[in-house]
Amino acid sequence: MKKYTCNVCGYVYDPAVGDSEGGIKPGTAFEKLPKEWVCPVCGASKDDFSPEG
């Protein structure tokens, strides 16, 4: 599973870690995140993220 980086603040969503504060369990691929999920650091939408590599 790929990591995705927020284009606004640089936060990296790592599927192996998930987003515990956002209720996202480890092992959740970025593509499987709810469409209303936002960056936990700056509040940017999923559209503001780019895949790493």
Side-chain angles (χ1 to χ4, degrees):
M1 288 186 283
K2 286 187 177 182
K3 295 180 183 179
Y4 281 72
T5 303
C6 178
N7 298 324
V8 177
C9 72
Y11 166 82
V12 176
Y13 175 77
D14 183 348
V17 177
D19 173 20
S20 60
E21 290 183 17
I24 307 299
K25 295 179 182 177
T28 303
F30 185 82
E31 297 81 7
K32 299 286 185 184
L33 293 173
K35 63 181 177 181
E36 62 273 4
W37 181 84
V38 295
C39 177
V41 175
C42 72
S45 73
K46 282 181 67 178
D47 292 338
D48 291 317
F49 277 74
S50 297
E52 285 191 341

